[in-house]
């Protein structure tokens, strides 16, 4: 067994000089401290993304985009295709879990101030990946062409259309026309299975190597210690095995959710029927939706909705550029201004999301 | 293509309505000013109590003088209402049919208003009990105005009409339900009561289904006579075709006519015909068969067999529907099962209709057909439930594998790090 | 002592490795089995959305009707004259019974309450309030294909 492995290794090494890579990999170290659990969050997100790609590709074998065939092909997958129900429910749950862990990963890097020099671009590419994930969620949600998805898309693209100046053209590009129709479905399909995966892969292809090259960020206390005092562990095999363990548990959770809480198909979308009561966006958009509801119809001269959207865009931009405007301070823990800002953001999102479901 | 045709006819209808309403408005406007009967009586607020603008005679330009005679151009009541000018005042009851018939029995006149309109109403009326009694001088019996009203007659299709299907039972009941009024005629006055409890009455009066029969659908419109023995089944057979055909070809038909029993009515009633139920067949307490048949005769035996066949299918279907609900509760695919059960339900309807052949063999054949189909559906349902359980079992197995792996990994990590001291 | 530990250690290590190897194999199998099963096409290889195949036209008897399944709904296919096919929804518009084709009167009839439709689906007499929805029929290479008109 070992001989065979060595033979294969040397075959590749002779041709591609793999040794430096192996060297680098074996030397990779991960700092060990009591907050290291957050180190796993990015990996979990990656695992969920891989699950999405795998189940998504499988779904492609049977899904048929088009106002006349999308819903029916979904029904077909759920009822007639072997394990179709499983693949679909895993895909839907994994999508939600991925967005959840993207947020967890982002907030954990924020609160540990991992965005600081030299990791500014890692943060920026990460933010772009977050936006792309939300795009995945929004575009994928429409694909079953059911009632709830249809109206959620209508409301969502309406909001996009209310951005001043560029709003209307953006809405037209999103919708493939004036209204949400079969054309919208076709282009959301193109976004979801081609454009977004390509762009996402490019940015993951930047984000991950950055992390590999620079290594994991350390908390301040650790950075001050000498090299010999720090506790570290090898990435291979120690951290990697722990990662694998966690990924297996996440997979089991996904399976549990898929079997015991299977995803609904709902009713086929009918553009002519009135919107059903209680349409809501998916939970990851809920906080924005609820905030917009709270803003009064008119703020000074401007339309409330427009003000809300612009505020969110500004907030998003500010968040993306955090490494560049960060308020530096000597305070520790909860008194640090960036921690306060982060907590405000976190609480705001949390409270708005919960309120969205109560009202 | 279809859309284009629909659009055009929609447009046609719209144009017709607008034109007619404009025309009608024109006519009534014209009448109001030029017809002095109308204008005076309106001014003096002496219009008849049931006077309505939507009256179809008024809408078509036939005003007071058209029926009452007189001179509508004169403002002087002595001239306007003079017998010399043909004024007849309020017509006598016995003269009303002829009065209406003056126009309504003339084909070439009526068909200028509506090409296919019938013009035999008066003729029919005099064949009816109402008409015959009117000729003998009866002052209480119904004539044209009793049902149609005098001054508020819209088209029959207008829901305000007293003879619109939904309103027919109430119109007939106005006299026929009044015990005091009907005294001396020696016919019951509970028809409306019974009818409103019947399945026909419920469908018409409560569910507003105007395809359900009202009084005139069985008794006729103008030739209203109680149906005779043979004619009852013919009346029912107009809609319930198969039931009548089966009965007429069954061994019951001859003895019924010999015994002068009314075919459908004997078992189902007439005014109070209720929703049929399976226990009407067989030998149980609610059965109609045991009214004549008793233990030992062939009919009794047939009744038992027929009831058994029907009940077998009913019970099989019941449990199949129960299974379907189980499938639906679990969120599994119910489309094919529902389709099969739809077909099986149809077979049950047919089996119940076949009861009227009183042939246990035929009925059993049909009910078996239904049972087979139902069993097919049940098999599919079982498969779905099995699949549901398989998923949960599969999850259990996958979890076991993953748990083994997780535990093994956990110990591997611990073991590895204890040995190498975490480097 | 140390060698004992080492021996125990390596047998424990071997056990763990076997466990991991076996678990991994089992896990990979339990992932690949559903995936391959999924890729194996089901009996009806695609969702019947807009059309169904009703069989060869030459096999379909003249002056007869047949009830077929279109998704959830029953559809009646009729051949009135040679080569002339029509298809309608088979659910009567009165109280949802399944209609049939009458060879004697060459009309579509509902046995429940004597509703009659003509061969254009129009309700002629009896209680049905609306005509039957028509489905399009195409014959390609002798194969009858019934198409949902809404598509």
């Amino acid at each position: 067994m070992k001989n065979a492995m060595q033979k294969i290794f040397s075959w590749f090494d002779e041709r591609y000089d793999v040794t430096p890579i192996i060297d680098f990999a074996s030397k990779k170290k991960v700092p060990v401290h009591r907050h290291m659990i957050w180190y796993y969050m990015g990996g979990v997100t990656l695992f969920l993304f891989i699950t999405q790609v795998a189940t998504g590709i499988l779904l492609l074998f049977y899904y048929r985009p088009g106002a006349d065939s999308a819903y029916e092909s979904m029904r077909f997958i759920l009822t007639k295709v072997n394990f179709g129900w499983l693949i679909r429910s895993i895909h839907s749950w994994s999508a939600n879990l991925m967005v959840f862990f993207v947020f967890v990963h982002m907030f954990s890097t924020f609160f540990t101030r991992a965005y600081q020099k030299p990791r500014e671009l890692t943060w920026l590419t990460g933010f772009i990946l977050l936006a792309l994930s939300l795009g995945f969620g929004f575009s994928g949600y429409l694909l079953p062409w059911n009632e709830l998805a249809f109206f959620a898309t209508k409301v969502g693209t309406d909001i996009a259309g209310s951005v001043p100046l560029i709003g209307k053209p953006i809405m037209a590009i999103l919708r493939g026309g004036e209204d949400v129709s079969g054309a919208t479905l076709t282009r959301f399909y193109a976004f979801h299975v081609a454009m977004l995966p390509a762009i996402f892969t490019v940015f993951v292809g930047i984000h991950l190597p950055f992390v590999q090259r620079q290594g994991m960020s350390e908390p301040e206390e650790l950075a001050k210690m000498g090299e010999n005092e720090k506790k570290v562990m090898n990435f291979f095999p120690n951290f990697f095995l722990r990662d694998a363990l966690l990924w297996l548990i996440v997979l089991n959770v996904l399976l549990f959710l898929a079997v015991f809480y299977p995803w609904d198909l709902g009713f086929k979308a009918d553009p002519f029927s009135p919107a059903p009561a209680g349409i809501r966006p998916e939970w990851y958009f809920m906080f924005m939706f609820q905030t917009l509801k709270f803003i009064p119809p008119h703020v000074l001269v401007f339309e409330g909705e427009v003000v809300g959207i612009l505020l969110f865009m500004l907030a998003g931009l500010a968040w993306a550029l955090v490494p560049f405007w960060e308020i530096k301070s000597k305070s520790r823990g909860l008194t640090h201004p960036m921690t306060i800002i982060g907590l405000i953001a976190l609480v705001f999102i949390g409270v708005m999301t919960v309120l969205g479901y109560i009202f | 293509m279809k859309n284009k045709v629909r659009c055009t006819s929609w447009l046609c209808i719209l144009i017709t309505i607008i034109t007619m309403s404009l025309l009608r408005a024109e006519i009534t406007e014209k009448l109001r000013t030029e017809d002095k009967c109308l204008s005076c009586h309106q001014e003096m607020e002496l219009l008849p109590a049931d006077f309505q603008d939507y009256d179809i005679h008024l809408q078509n330009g036939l005003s007071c003088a058209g029926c009452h005679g007189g001179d509508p151009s004169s403002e002087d009541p002595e001239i306007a209402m003079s017998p010399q000018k043909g004024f007849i005042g309020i017509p006598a009851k016995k003269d009303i049919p002829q009065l209406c018939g003056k126009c309504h029995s003339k084909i070439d006149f009526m068909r200028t208003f509506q090409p296919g309109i019938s013009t035999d109403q008066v003729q029919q009326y005099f064949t009816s009990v109402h008409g015959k009694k009117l000729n003998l001088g009866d002052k209480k019996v119904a004539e044209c105005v009793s049902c149609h009203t005098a001054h508020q007659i819209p088209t029959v299709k207008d829901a305000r009409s007293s003879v619109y299907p939904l309103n027919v039972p109430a119109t007939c009941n106005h006299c026929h339900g009044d015990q005091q009024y009907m005294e001396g005629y020696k016919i019951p006055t509970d028809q409306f009561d019974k009818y409103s409890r019947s399945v026909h009455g419920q469908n018409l009066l409560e569910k507003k289904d105007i395809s359900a029969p009202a009084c005139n659908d069985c008794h006729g419109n103008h030739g209203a006579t109680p149906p005779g023995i043979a004619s009852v089944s013919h009346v029912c057979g107009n809609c319930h075709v198969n039931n009548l055909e089966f009965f007429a070809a069954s061994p019951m038909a001859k003895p019924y006519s010999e015994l002068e029993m009314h075919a459908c009515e004997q078992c189902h009633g007439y005014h109070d015909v209720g929703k049929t139920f399976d226990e009407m067949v067989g030998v149980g307490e609610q059965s109609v068969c045991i009214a004549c048949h008793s233990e030992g005769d062939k009919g009794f035996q047939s009744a038992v067999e027929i009831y058994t066949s029907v009940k077998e299918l009913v019970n099989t279907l019941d449990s199949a529907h129960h299974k379907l609900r189980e499938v639906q509760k679990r969120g599994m695919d119910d489309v094919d099962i529902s389709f099969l059960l739809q077909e099986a339900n149809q077979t049950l309807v047919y089996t119940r209709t076949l009861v009227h052949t009183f042939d246990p063999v035929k009925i059993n054949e049909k009910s078996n057909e239904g049972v087979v189909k139902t069993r097919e559906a049940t098999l599919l349902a079982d498969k779905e439930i099995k699949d549901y359980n398989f998923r949960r079992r599969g999850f259990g197995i996958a979890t076991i594998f993953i748990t083994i792996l997780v535990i093994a990994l956990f110990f591997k990590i611990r073991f590895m790090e204890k040995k190498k001291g975490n480097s | 002592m140390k060698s004992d530990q080492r021996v125990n250690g390596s047998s424990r290590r071997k056990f763990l490795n076997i466990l991991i190897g076996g678990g991994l194999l089992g896990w990979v199998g339990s992932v690949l089995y559903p995936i391959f099963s999924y890729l194996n096409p089901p009996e009806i290889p695609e969702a019947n959305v807009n059309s169904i195949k009703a069989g060869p036209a030459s096999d379909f008897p003249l002056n007869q009707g047949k009830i077929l399944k279109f998704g959830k709904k029953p559809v009646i296919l009729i051949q009135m004259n040679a080569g002339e096919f029509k298809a309608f929804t088979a659910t009567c518009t009165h109280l949802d019974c399944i209609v049939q084709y009458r060879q004697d009167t060459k009309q579509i009839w509902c046995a429940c309450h004597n509703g009659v439709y003509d061969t254009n689906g129009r309700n002629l007499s009896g209680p049905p309030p609306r005509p039957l929805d028509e489905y399009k029929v195409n014959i390609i290479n002798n194969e009858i294909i019934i198409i949902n008109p809404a598509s």
Side-chain angles (χ1 to χ4, degrees):
Chain A
M1 186 59 179
K2 255 206 169 145
N3 259 332
M5 295 292 284
Q6 275 185 338
K7 277 211 179 115
I8 296 175
F9 176 75
S10 37
W11 192 92
F12 277 97
D13 200 24
E14 283 166 31
R15 288 156 182 73
Y16 301 104
D17 195 18
V18 213
T19 325
I21 302 176
I22 303 291
D23 252 356
F24 175 77
S26 61
K27 293 212 180 71
K28 235 170 86 75
K29 304 256 188 268
V30 177
V32 175
H33 53 88
R34 60 197 168 104
H35 294 300
M36 72 177 296
I37 185 155
W38 303 110
Y39 286 159
Y40 294 103
M41 297 299 115
V44 170
T45 314
L46 179 66
F47 168 70
L48 290 169
F49 179 68
I50 294 171
T51 312
Q52 285 307 86
V53 172
T55 51
I57 290 175
L58 286 174
L59 287 171
L60 269 181
F61 273 77
Y62 293 105
Y63 173 75
R64 298 217 279 213
D68 291 321
S69 51
Y71 181 85
E72 287 78 6
S73 63
M74 285 296 292
R75 199 171 217 294
F76 184 68
I77 292 173
L78 289 175
T79 56
K80 296 274 182 283
V81 176
N82 300 322
F83 293 103
W85 59 274
L86 183 67
I87 306 292
R88 193 264 171 138
S89 275
I90 291 181
H91 195 80
S92 303
W93 272 114
S94 175
N96 281 276
L97 286 183
M98 180 177 155
V99 173
F100 176 73
F101 276 101
V102 158
F103 273 98
V104 168
H105 180 50
M106 172 190 74
F107 274 114
S108 69
T109 51
F110 183 88
F111 285 115
T112 54
R113 290 189 262 288
Y115 53 75
Q116 287 173 331
K117 173 176 174 183
R119 295 179 176 84
E120 302 96 325
L121 289 183
T122 316
W123 170 266
L124 194 59
T125 50
F127 183 82
I128 293 173
L129 286 169
L130 177 108
L132 290 172
S133 305
L134 295 178
F136 267 119
F138 188 63
S139 55
Y141 195 54
L142 180 67
L143 298 186
W145 198 244
N146 58 20
E147 223 179 22
L148 286 177
F150 180 85
F151 287 104
T153 307
K154 202 163 182 296
V155 172
T157 46
D158 263 336
I159 292 176
S162 56
V163 170
L165 290 174
I166 50 169
K168 287 278 173 294
I170 287 186
M171 188 174 87
I173 291 176
L174 283 176
R175 286 185 174 180
E178 284 258 323
D179 302 301
V180 176
S181 66
T184 319
L185 181 60
T186 310
R187 27 184 81 200
F188 271 35
Y189 180 69
F191 283 134
H192 192 80
V193 314
M195 190 186 248
L196 286 173
I199 302 177
F200 196 90
T201 309
V202 165
F203 278 96
V204 168
I206 300 174
H207 191 81
L208 278 184
F210 279 0
V211 174
Q212 297 305 308
R213 191 86 177 87
Q214 296 176 320
M216 296 298 217
S217 78
E218 299 161 338
E220 280 165 31
E221 310 84 54
L222 232 70
K224 293 187 190 130
M225 288 197 241
E227 284 301 315
N228 294 328
E229 288 177 351
K230 280 189 227 187
K231 270 176 90 177
V232 289
M233 71 162 72
N234 283 328
F235 187 86
F236 286 104
N238 306 60
F239 188 79
F240 174 77
L241 284 179
R242 286 177 166 79
D243 235 352
L245 195 105
L246 187 57
W247 289 16
L248 277 173
I249 294 175
V250 171
L251 177 66
N252 209 5
V253 168
L254 263 181
L255 288 178
F256 171 78
L257 291 170
V259 170
F260 289 97
Y261 297 95
W263 213 259
D264 221 12
L265 179 57
F267 295 106
K268 182 168 174 175
D270 178 5
F272 296 111
S273 67
I279 33 156
R280 300 192 280 234
E282 275 293 84
W283 62 270
Y284 36 89
F285 291 121
M286 186 59 90
F287 72 97
M288 289 190 259
F289 192 64
Q290 188 59 32
T291 312
L292 286 178
K293 276 204 199 162
F294 278 142
I295 297 178
H298 280 94
V299 178
L300 299 172
V301 224
F302 308 104
E303 251 187 67
E305 201 179 41
V306 177
V307 170
I309 294 170
L310 285 181
L311 277 177
F312 271 118
M313 289 176 74
L314 278 174
L317 193 63
W319 197 260
L321 297 176
V322 149
F324 304 105
W325 60 261
E326 172 194 18
I327 304 170
K328 296 216 198 284
S329 155
K330 291 263 188 308
S331 353
R332 305 285 217 82
L334 287 173
T335 49
H336 194 291
M338 291 313 282
T339 309
I340 295 174
I341 291 175
L343 279 173
I344 293 174
L346 190 58
V347 169
F348 177 77
I349 292 177
V351 168
M352 283 299 155
T353 309
V354 169
L355 286 178
Y357 283 97
I358 298 182
F359 288 124
Chain B
M1 209 35 187
K2 234 184 182 178
N3 279 332
K4 264 199 192 148
V5 173
R6 266 205 220 116
C7 264
T8 320
S9 50
W10 233 106
L11 209 56
C12 278
I13 295 172
L14 203 62
I15 292 175
T16 312
I17 293 175
I18 295 176
T19 317
M20 292 306 280
S21 6
L22 285 173
L23 269 177
R24 292 238 172 94
E26 243 183 75
I27 292 172
T28 37
E29 265 321 295
K30 199 159 164 258
L31 276 177
R32 280 186 193 280
T33 44
E34 293 185 0
D35 186 309
K36 300 301 171 196
C37 313
L38 255 185
S39 56
C40 280
H41 277 265
Q42 228 167 255
E43 239 180 82
M44 299 193 289
E45 294 184 6
L46 274 178
L47 287 171
D50 64 350
F51 186 87
Q52 287 289 351
D53 249 351
Y54 59 72
D55 179 278
I56 195 172
H57 294 128
L58 189 67
Q59 295 279 327
N60 282 297
L62 185 77
S63 180
C64 321
C67 296
H68 293 283
D71 185 355
S73 62
S74 166
E75 274 187 359
D76 181 357
E78 296 233 344
I79 303 174
M81 298 195 282
S82 82
Q84 277 87 355
K85 296 282 183 177
F87 184 71
I88 57 171
I90 301 176
K93 195 179 177 74
K94 64 173 172 55
D95 294 331
I96 290 181
Q98 261 91 349
L99 178 60
C100 303
K102 252 193 350 193
C103 294
H104 280 276
S105 300
K106 292 221 184 74
I107 294 183
D108 39 4
F109 179 67
M110 289 312 295
R111 297 207 170 162
T112 60
F113 295 97
Q114 219 186 301
I117 201 173
S118 46
T119 47
D120 58 354
Q121 294 95 333
V122 177
Q123 196 185 20
Q124 277 195 15
Y125 173 74
F126 282 117
T127 68
S128 74
V129 171
H130 295 146
K132 290 189 191 145
K133 285 205 185 285
L134 187 75
N135 270 340
L136 293 173
D138 190 320
K139 294 254 180 357
K140 291 213 258 180
V141 96
E143 25 67 32
C144 317
V145 165
S146 321
C147 299
H148 289 280
T149 76
H151 306 105
Q152 54 175 27
I153 309 175
T155 60
V156 172
K157 292 209 165 63
D158 190 319
R160 296 171 289 194
S161 165
S162 52
V163 295
Y164 181 70
L166 289 182
N167 301 328
V168 162
T171 303
C172 303
N173 190 45
H174 190 71
C175 296
H176 281 276
D178 187 339
Q179 250 186 334
Q180 266 190 326
Y181 192 81
M182 294 302 293
E183 210 176 314
Y185 287 113
K186 298 190 178 56
I187 52 172
T189 50
D190 60 353
Q191 297 93 333
F192 183 79
D193 245 352
K194 285 191 169 163
Y195 173 76
S196 52
R197 280 182 274 123
S198 74
V199 63
H200 293 146
Q202 299 258 318
N203 275 329
L204 181 74
L205 300 171
E206 282 171 41
K207 295 196 195 148
K208 313 283 186 211
D209 176 7
I210 56 173
S211 66
C215 317
N216 59 325
D217 291 299
C218 296
H219 290 281
N221 279 320
H222 302 103
T225 311
I229 300 169
S231 58
V232 171
S233 14
H234 286 303
V235 162
C236 311
N238 259 326
C239 293
H240 300 277
V241 177
N242 280 332
N243 306 55
L244 174 66
E245 277 181 18
F246 289 155
F247 182 86
S250 79
M252 298 271 261
K254 195 147 161 273
Y256 260 59
S257 76
E258 276 170 9
L259 290 167
E260 293 194 350
M261 289 204 289
H262 303 227
C264 314
E265 182 237 320
Q266 185 66 27
C267 301
H268 291 283
Y270 46 104
H271 290 130
D272 56 352
V273 54
K275 203 151 162 50
T276 50
F277 50 95
D278 292 321
E279 277 62 36
M280 286 169 74
V281 172
V283 299
E285 267 179 17
Q286 298 171 296
S287 144
V288 297
C289 312
I290 54 174
C292 299
H293 293 283
S294 47
E295 184 127 24
D297 74 44
K298 227 171 77 171
F300 190 88
Q301 184 55 30
S302 298
V304 170
E305 286 171 30
I306 293 173
Y307 181 71
T308 312
S309 296
V310 173
K311 227 28 193 175
E312 195 194 336
L313 179 54
V314 168
N315 289 336
T316 317
L317 260 178
D318 266 346
S319 47
H321 275 289
H322 182 75
K323 272 253 166 74
L324 172 67
R325 273 191 295 280
E326 291 291 307
V327 169
Q328 289 169 333
K329 260 205 312 210
R330 288 165 171 72
M332 304 297 285
D333 181 20
D334 64 343
V335 169
D336 293 333
I337 304 172
S338 299
F339 187 83
L340 278 170
L341 285 182
Q342 226 187 339
E343 290 190 315
N345 273 328
Q346 183 78 352
T347 314
L348 176 61
V349 171
Y350 200 69
T351 307
R352 287 174 169 151
T353 313
L354 276 174
V355 166
H356 299 85
T357 61
F358 305 105
D359 180 349
V361 172
K362 263 207 201 114
I363 295 167
N364 196 43
E365 207 186 303
K366 205 42 143 163
S367 93
N368 278 339
E369 205 186 290
V371 166
V372 164
K373 209 152 248 167
T374 311
R375 294 228 170 101
E376 227 183 288
T378 311
L379 278 174
L380 280 182
D382 283 335
K383 184 168 119 6
E384 289 298 318
I385 296 177
K386 235 172 67 165
D387 199 22
Y388 175 85
N389 294 332
F390 167 76
R391 294 180 188 187
R392 270 141 180 79
R393 270 202 316 274
F395 168 76
I397 294 174
T399 304
I400 290 173
F401 275 127
I402 292 179
T403 311
I404 292 176
L405 210 49
V406 162
I407 293 176
L409 268 178
F410 179 74
F411 279 112
K412 175 93 182 145
I413 294 172
R414 265 241 301 225
F415 185 76
M416 218 173 47
E417 287 174 4
K418 229 187 351 192
K419 225 175 75 165
K420 293 192 180 150
N422 216 14
S423 64
Chain C
M1 279 303 248
K2 254 200 178 161
S3 56
D4 270 344
Q5 266 184 338
R6 253 208 211 132
V7 168
N8 280 341
S10 70
S11 66
R12 217 185 295 166
R13 188 163 161 220
K14 262 201 195 117
F15 171 69
L16 267 179
N17 283 347
I18 292 172
L19 202 62
I20 289 181
L24 202 65
L25 231 72
W27 180 81
V28 167
S30 70
V31 167
L32 289 181
Y33 168 68
I35 290 180
F36 280 106
S37 190
Y38 176 89
L39 291 173
N40 193 26
E43 270 160 25
I44 314 160
E46 51 178 10
N48 284 331
V49 174
N50 300 320
S51 63
I52 56 166
K53 295 207 173 99
S58 44
D59 282 355
F60 201 86
L62 187 56
N63 197 28
Q64 264 198 40
K66 189 165 174 228
I67 304 280
L68 301 155
K69 192 162 91 95
F70 199 106
K72 260 204 219 189
K73 309 190 193 149
V75 158
I76 183 169
L77 173 68
I78 324 174
Q79 183 175 204
M80 299 100 58
N81 306 310
E84 211 185 311
F85 286 92
K86 284 236 169 127
F88 303 94
T89 165
T91 312
C92 182
T93 56
H94 177 224
L95 290 176
D96 291 345
C97 288
I98 295 182
V99 302
Q100 50 189 283
Y101 177 71
R102 298 257 317 238
Q103 297 178 295
D104 45 356
T105 59
K106 295 215 172 135
Q107 287 171 326
I108 300 173
W109 182 56
C110 182
C112 285
H113 300 99
N114 201 20
V116 179
Y117 305 83
D118 65 10
T119 49
N120 286 315
R122 279 192 284 264
N123 47 320
L124 293 177
S125 72
R130 287 185 315 276
L132 297 171
D133 289 330
E134 187 167 0
Y135 284 66
K136 221 166 108 178
V137 179
N138 276 345
I139 306 181
I140 299 176
N141 288 339
N142 197 35
E143 178 85 44
I144 305 175
I145 302 176
I146 304 179
I147 301 171
N148 186 344
S151 63

